[in-house]
Amino acid sequence: MKPDEFWKNFRLGEELAISGNFIYDGLRRFHEMKRLDYDEEIFDFLYHVSVGLERLTKIAIVLCEHKATTDQEALEKSLITHSLNDLVARLKTSAPINLGTNHNELISILTTFYNSLRYDRFSLASSFSGGKERKAIVGWLEKSLNITLCHGNALFGIDNPEQCRKFVRRTILKITRQIYEVIQKEARGLNIYTYELRHASKAESVFLREIDIVNEDILWKELLVFFMNTRSTSGYLGFLRKIEPLDFDPALADEYLACFASDSAKAMVMDELEHHYSELEDGARARLETMTIINAPNVCFDDED
């Protein structure tokens, strides 16, 4: 295999997985946001999506533009840009990318964010002009969905309703799907396998399953109900049932369940977990060792043992 074929087949294939990881994390981050008040959460969402889409678009550009006669150095230099706007426009000259106003406006927000807003807080001029990312996303959502989100409520803040979550997912996945289809088409034309994805990876969830975090949340809820109610027996289930539960407060069940769906929710309960472990005294280390066995690789529970 020639160096350029190896590059496009394997190295860009790795890039495809990386871009899928970023897009997945961005979609999950937005899904987990209860409100749209926290600039650091908006930043996290925008950062992951902008990086993911930028890298994805660059893969498609290389597959479309690179030929045996291409000036390799010039091509590589031309990819040193963070303007998603320009990259998508460039790809459109080689491939049938058909995006609507909402998609293009999001691409512009991502471009502005990555080129300027992500470092805006390091500037003294930002002292009294914060919340730019939040204002951009909230304004885009309100305009695109023709809704008015609640602003300025000190008690409840700006809600992130399911309508917004679904719209963001749908918009990002349409952009993603069109670019991925270009990668598939070009790679097949070159008889290479850049588009192939590792099974059960985040990238596969994005590009092939078109991830819906709501469905993934249904999974953990169903598994939770199974573990609570199954009467089946196995070595693993027997091991779990022998562990004495900590004295969590049943009245806070809703907060505990949120830990399965959100990293920020876990942070809210960690202090209580640390308190319970401090009460164990000498038994804390033994319990930690027991907990590490659960879901540990290469640990087998023999039903007869």
Side-chain angles (χ1 to χ4, degrees):
M1 183 175 285
K2 298 177 181 178
D4 63 325
E5 293 175 334
F6 192 96
W7 170 52
K8 288 185 279 190
N9 197 20
F10 295 104
R11 294 297 168 256
L12 294 189
E14 292 171 3
E15 275 296 327
L16 184 66
I18 291 168
S19 69
N21 287 353
F22 273 103
I23 294 168
Y24 178 98
D25 290 343
L27 289 169
R28 172 159 284 283
R29 194 71 188 94
F30 193 85
H31 175 80
E32 292 178 358
M33 289 163 53
K34 301 293 184 183
R35 301 201 299 265
L36 300 173
D37 298 285
Y38 304 118
D39 293 336
E40 73 276 12
E41 292 185 350
I42 297 287
F43 183 103
D44 200 17
F45 158 68
L46 291 173
Y47 183 84
H48 280 89
V49 175
S50 60
V51 172
L53 288 178
E54 176 190 319
R55 301 182 90 89
L56 182 68
T57 308
K58 288 177 178 178
I59 297 168
I61 287 172
V62 170
L63 293 180
C64 285
E65 295 184 4
H66 186 271
K67 304 290 186 294
T69 57
T70 296
D71 184 329
Q72 186 71 29
E73 184 178 358
L75 175 65
E76 292 176 9
K77 285 184 177 180
S78 74
L79 296 174
I80 304 174
T81 175
H82 298 304
S83 176
L84 186 58
N85 261 333
D86 292 345
L87 289 169
V88 172
R90 177 175 169 181
L91 181 59
K92 285 180 178 178
T93 65
S94 303
I97 302 296
N98 182 25
L99 300 173
T101 301
N102 296 333
H103 310 91
N104 290 321
E105 288 180 349
L106 178 59
I107 288 171
S108 292
I109 290 173
L110 294 172
T111 300
T112 301
F113 164 76
Y114 205 85
N115 282 330
S116 58
L117 294 186
R118 69 186 173 118
Y119 286 117
D120 189 63
R121 277 168 286 270
F122 287 103
S123 167
L124 181 62
S126 70
S127 299
F128 303 105
S129 60
K132 292 179 181 177
E133 298 101 327
R134 183 178 71 253
K135 292 173 184 175
I137 286 296
V138 170
W140 171 68
L141 288 170
E142 290 184 325
K143 176 184 176 184
S144 301
L145 294 171
N146 194 26
I147 60 174
T148 300
L149 296 169
C150 180
H151 291 259
N153 189 319
L155 182 59
F156 298 108
I158 307 174
D159 285 336
N160 184 22
E162 189 61 25
Q163 181 184 13
C164 290
R165 291 188 177 92
K166 288 180 178 179
F167 176 73
V168 166
R169 170 189 173 273
R170 188 168 63 248
T171 302
I172 292 173
L173 286 182
K174 180 172 181 180
I175 300 170
T176 300
R177 180 171 59 252
Q178 291 203 23
I179 299 173
Y180 178 69
E181 286 174 355
V182 172
I183 292 170
Q184 280 186 311
K185 178 178 179 295
E186 294 298 322
R188 285 170 175 159
L190 294 168
N191 198 29
I192 55 178
Y193 303 94
T194 314
Y195 59 88
E196 289 195 345
L197 302 160
R198 179 171 56 84
H199 177 61
S201 64
K202 291 180 181 180
E204 184 191 54
S205 293
V206 170
F207 300 125
L208 298 184
R209 286 201 300 111
E210 295 193 355
I211 177 179
D212 190 342
I213 305 295
V214 173
N215 291 341
E216 294 196 348
D217 283 350
I218 293 296
L219 173 61
W220 71 255
K221 292 172 185 177
E222 290 287 3
L223 290 173
L224 178 64
V225 171
F226 163 76
F227 281 116
M228 289 180 62
N229 293 282
T230 183
R231 295 181 181 179
S232 300
T233 59
S234 69
Y236 211 141
L237 290 172
F239 172 77
L240 294 175
R241 288 168 180 152
K242 289 178 183 177
I243 302 173
E244 188 72 20
L246 297 176
D247 190 24
F248 285 104
D249 186 352
L252 299 178
D254 57 338
E255 295 184 18
Y256 301 151
L257 287 172
C259 294
F260 289 93
S262 167
D263 289 335
S264 58
K266 294 173 191 173
M268 297 291 289
V269 184
M270 281 303 299
D271 286 343
E272 184 178 355
L273 176 64
E274 291 170 3
H275 168 72
H276 287 311
Y277 268 74
S278 70
E279 295 288 303
L280 293 175
E281 298 178 352
D282 294 339
R285 173 173 289 185
R287 188 175 183 90
L288 279 172
E289 291 175 351
T290 300
M291 291 296 110
T292 58
I293 292 174
I294 299 174
N295 199 39
N298 304 320
V299 174
C300 179
F301 292 85
D302 191 333
D303 291 352
E304 298 178 359
D305 188 351

